[in-house]
Amino acid sequence: MWVQRLLGRSLGELRLGRQISARIVNESNIEVQPASGDKPLTFPGVWLRDNCQCDDCFHGSSKSRKLDWDRFDTRIRPVDLQADELAQEVVVRWSDAHESRFPLKWLRDRSFEERRQAEYLRDFYRPPTRHWSGAEFQEIARHFSYDEVMAKDSVLMHWLQALAVHGVALLRGAPLDEGVVRRLAERVGFIRRTTYGEEFVVQAKPGAQNFAYLSLPLPLHTDLPYYEYKPSVNILHCVVQTESPGGSNMLVDGFHIADILRRDHPEDFDRLCRVLVDWNDIGSEDGREFHNIWRAPVICLDSAGRYTRVNHSVPQRDSHFNVPLEEVLPWYESYARFVRLAIADSHAFKTQPGDVLTFNNIRLLHGRAGYDDSEESPRYIVGAYLDWDIIYSRLRVLKKKLHSDSDADADSELGSQ
Ligand code: OGA
Ligand code: ZN
Ligand code: ZN
């Protein structure tokens, strides 16, 4: 039986022509029908009470729950319902004598329907990744103008969305000064500091402390696999590109390689997901000595079996390998297969001065062809890192802002990515 207690009913019906219905089901849930004919939405009572929005239970300016959880009773029951049609709210009286009001829009936005939850996770939490092969690179790689990213929020949003979905995007037309990577990182949020500082210069250096600071070929790798908390996105600004034939970058979608292994070589896949590898980096920078180690598999999965990151570096894999003896050779075989598949799928291109290559460091493998370093033909790349927490947060703020400005174009484009 639908309970319909309509406060201000005549006004509500006249103005809104909508009739909210709500009822208690199974003693603990509340079923709300926003308007006659609409599909009813079911909300667990315990969740509603936990999320009461009144001033006693919720702190408005910090948007934080302040309900006293020391005394929270999971057996709480709704005992009475009212539909306030004028305010478009459902009013609930609880077995602890508390009263809560829930706006219909707030309820709809938090519906427990599977379809709506999937939409929220896809469009707002984190967009799903699209994996690509090297042959598809031209098709998936998005280009943006550096000036537009800096000036227009909608372009900034599309760049970050492309990075999240494809793991790579190229900005063009940046000025040739050393401040570009910082300005770009600060346009998003703030730069990630590592052992190598905030901005770092990739250039052939005498007595190099890092393998990348040589003009030798730099095989496919992820940066800083020896950190537990790895920097998420690389920003590589090409200030000067070598005129020698080398110096191009290679990129591979590590998630795509993992897909191939999972499908065609499941034993190798399982081993690379399971065996902890010691990644390391030893040295000193600006007079500070460091000795970094992090043990992690090559392919890391979350509890649902989705990829969270890949780790790969020939120079920065430790000679300590703390696994049972019998795991060693099989692991080498599986890893060699992963590396061979990655090399075969790699896409190479040479950035030009003013290009800013941005990519997901915990998903893509990247490398650089060797080059001749000479005074007549130098190469000068400035790099920095950003973290996904900072990027996703910025992306959500932009989506909320641009959606509320009813930017229909951005809206539909993002939805279809
Ligand atoms: C690095 C790196 C790429 C390049 O420094 O780790 O990948 O283009 N550099 O020099
Ligand atoms: Zn309350
Ligand atoms: Zn690198």
Side-chain angles (χ1 to χ4, degrees), residues 49 51-58 67 94 98-101:
R49 180 66 190 87
N51 287 291
C52 177
Q53 299 289 292
C54 84
D55 290 344
D56 290 335
C57 302
F58 193 74
L67 186 73
W94 299 99
H98 194 70
E99 188 177 286
S100 309
R101 304 181 72 92

Side-chain angles (χ1 to χ4, degrees), residues 218 221 223 234 366:
L218 185 57
H221 64 283
D223 284 359
N234 304 40
H366 65 283

